[in-house]
Structure formats: C-alpha cells, structure tokens
Amino acid sequence: LPAAGIPRSGVGVVYLHGSAWYLGDKGQLTGPVFRAWAADGHVVMDVAYRMCPETDVRGMVADAQAAVMWLKAHAAEFGVDPQRIVLSGTSAGGHIALIAAYTADLPDLRAPELAGEDVSVAGVFTVSAPIDAQAMLAHHSDLLATAHPLPGAAYDPLTDTDPLIPPGPGATRRAWLAWDRAQQRRMAGLLRDLLGGAPDDAPEMYAFASVPTHVRPGLAPTLLIQGDQDVLVPVGAARDLAQRLRAAGVPVTYLELPQTDHGFEIALPQLSPPSLAAVAAIRRFLLTI
C-alpha cells in the first residue's frame, strides 16, 4: 500500500510472480519494485496462484482472473478504482497475465466459477514473458530428447539435478554453456508437462497458451519489456506480439533492453541499468491508466 501521506492514484496492480509455472511464490525479491509503484500512489496485490502440477495454464489464468474479480469487489477498502485495475507479471507470471487480460471478455474461455463476472482490466504489463508456447518449444527443441527420455515421463523439479543457480564470478565459458543447456533442458520438460505433451498431442492447449492466438482489436493497453539476450525466452516472439498488437490497433509499448538476459529484474534492481529502465517504463505506463 502507499505510505501514509501519499495520495492514492486509484490504480490497482495485480502481480503474478515468475518461476516457470512450477516453482516460486509471492513476495520473492519484489519489495523494491513494489515500493516504487506504491510511491506513486498505486496499490499492489501480489498473488500466489496455483502451480503445475496442481493445475494447468487454464487454472492459472482462472486464478489471475479471480484475483482481479476479488480486487474489484474490495476496491473501496483499498482506495482502488475498479475500472483502473492492471494485470502484470514476470516471466511465467507475465505469460499468465497476458492470457488472463486478453481472454477476460471471452465467456467460452472463462472458468465456470467466473461465469458472469467482470474480470476485465485497464491494462497489462509484463517482463520477460514467454509469449508463444510453440515458439518456446521450438527454442528448446534440440533438448527435448534429453528432457524426456521416456515417452510420457513426468518432469519433477524436486528431483531434477540440473543446477538452478548460475556459475559464480570467474566461471569458465564451458561452465556457462553447461548451465544454459541445463536451463533449456528444464524448460523443455516443463512445457511438455504443463501443456500435455507436444503440440500434436494437445493442439487446443498450445493455442490457448500462445498469446498471439488471442490478439484482436479492443484489447487492454499493453507494455512488454524484454531482454535481447534472454536465454530462456525467445525475443522474436515478443517482437512479433508487439507487431501483431499494433496491427490490431491495440495501444502497445515495447521496450527491448540491450545485453540483457532473463531474470535481470531481480539482480540489484536499485542499481542495475536494465532494472531501472524497466521500473521507469512501468511507472510511465501506470500513469496512463
């Protein structure tokens, strides 16, 4: 919440954390960024949505839309204008935020428990979001065999031995390449389990999980922030989405950060030039809501 003495802007930001649809929780390394938004009078609602394998992409989108519905119902308690709520997220959370925002007015894609509810938003912004499920799979396609040596084998991040933490200072180029390959192998396995196999196995799920499927006129204003050296998320998909949104007449701002990899926003956010640029862009975007 904004500190005492800071006038409320009326904007409410519903935020969805990252960590590849499988891991993570709300409140992880986001304090400095949230304080920057709250300093402008905005209210931030940090959401712990369900993860895979408890649910799939559709369930995560339903959780995001339910969070919007809840904040609208309680808007007066927090000084939020229910017509000025914004969805946002980082990495996998950004992916869920985009789909939740773009399908908010499509009853056929809405979870039954949200039937008849207003889950529309005034805007959506994302950082390093995986935009297109098939593009993501193609990005990591050369590693599918090692990710799933047995047909239908489930990916379990708790027993995965690939290192999550990148090499330390002074690590060799070989060590960095090995780490990059491990993350790609992990991502390929996550995608297959999240979406029910390869695209031919679950075409409807891949279509639902690919943001370009939902692009059409009238969508909420959008801010996309993407690093051009992202090893996990193909930058081309973000560029393509920005072009598609412009062609459909949707207000969109695309910020591509040079020499910037995935997860940049959690590395010294108060000092890192990419993080500072992203925070500034988000603050400008929220002023337009």
Side-chain angles (χ1 to χ4, degrees), residues 238-263:
R239 295 169 182 163
D240 176 69
L241 177 61
Q243 292 177 351
R244 288 172 182 262
L245 291 168
R246 291 190 190 102
V250 178
V252 58
T253 300
Y254 176 62
L255 174 62
E256 187 172 302
L257 299 168
Q259 301 299 311
T260 302
D261 200 349
H262 201 81

Side-chain angles (χ1 to χ4, degrees), residues 28-45:
Q28 293 182 332
L29 306 174
T30 48
V33 175
F34 289 170
R35 284 192 289 273
W37 301 344
D40 290 333
H42 311 317
V43 171
V44 184
M45 179 179 174

Side-chain angles (χ1 to χ4, degrees), residues 46-275:
D46 196 6
V47 179
Y49 57 99
R50 288 172 294 168
M51 300 273 93
C52 187
E54 181 181 357
T55 192
D56 59 15
V57 170
R58 290 184 182 274
M60 296 176 199
V61 168
D63 287 354
Q65 292 176 337
V68 171
M69 181 182 69
W70 188 94
L71 187 54
K72 287 193 176 194
H74 296 266
E77 300 173 32
F78 300 104
V80 170
D81 181 341
Q83 301 306 311
R84 299 179 67 199
I85 292 175
V86 177
L87 265 168
S88 67
T90 300
S91 191
H95 172 244
I96 299 303
L98 287 167
I99 299 174
Y102 291 175
T103 64
D105 61 343
L106 300 177
D108 291 345
L109 297 180
R110 184 113 27 106
E113 63 270 22
L114 300 176
E117 299 289 349
D118 178 12
V119 295
S120 63
V121 292
V124 58
F125 67 87
T126 66
V127 178
S128 304
I131 300 296
D132 188 314
Q134 294 206 43
M136 281 287 289
L137 200 59
H139 186 61
H140 304 292
S141 61
D142 62 322
L143 297 166
L144 279 176
T146 54
H148 279 276
L150 297 176
Y155 179 83
D156 184 355
L158 299 179
T159 60
D160 176 28
T161 58
D162 290 336
L164 277 169
I165 306 301
T172 64
R173 176 174 173 78
R174 181 185 295 274
W176 274 104
L177 289 174
W179 182 79
D180 282 348
R181 185 174 177 82
Q183 305 323 303
Q184 290 179 329
R185 181 166 56 249
R186 173 180 288 112
M187 186 58 66
L190 287 171
L191 282 166
R192 286 193 55 150
D193 288 340
L194 179 72
L195 301 176
D200 289 343
D201 302 321
E204 291 186 1
M205 184 63 84
Y206 272 83
F208 179 81
S210 296
V211 180
T213 302
H214 310 294
V215 171
R216 64 195 186 283
L219 295 178
T222 301
L223 167 64
L224 304 171
I225 301 174
Q226 176 64 48
D228 71 344
Q229 301 295 316
D230 196 322
V231 69
L232 294 182
V233 173
V235 65
R239 295 169 182 163
D240 176 69
L241 177 61
Q243 292 177 351
R244 288 172 182 262
L245 291 168
R246 291 190 190 102
V250 178
V252 58
T253 300
Y254 176 62
L255 174 62
E256 187 172 302
L257 299 168
Q259 301 299 311
T260 302
D261 200 349
H262 201 81
F264 71 89
E265 74 284 348
I266 62 175
L268 299 175
Q270 295 169 302
L271 298 175
S272 160
S275 295

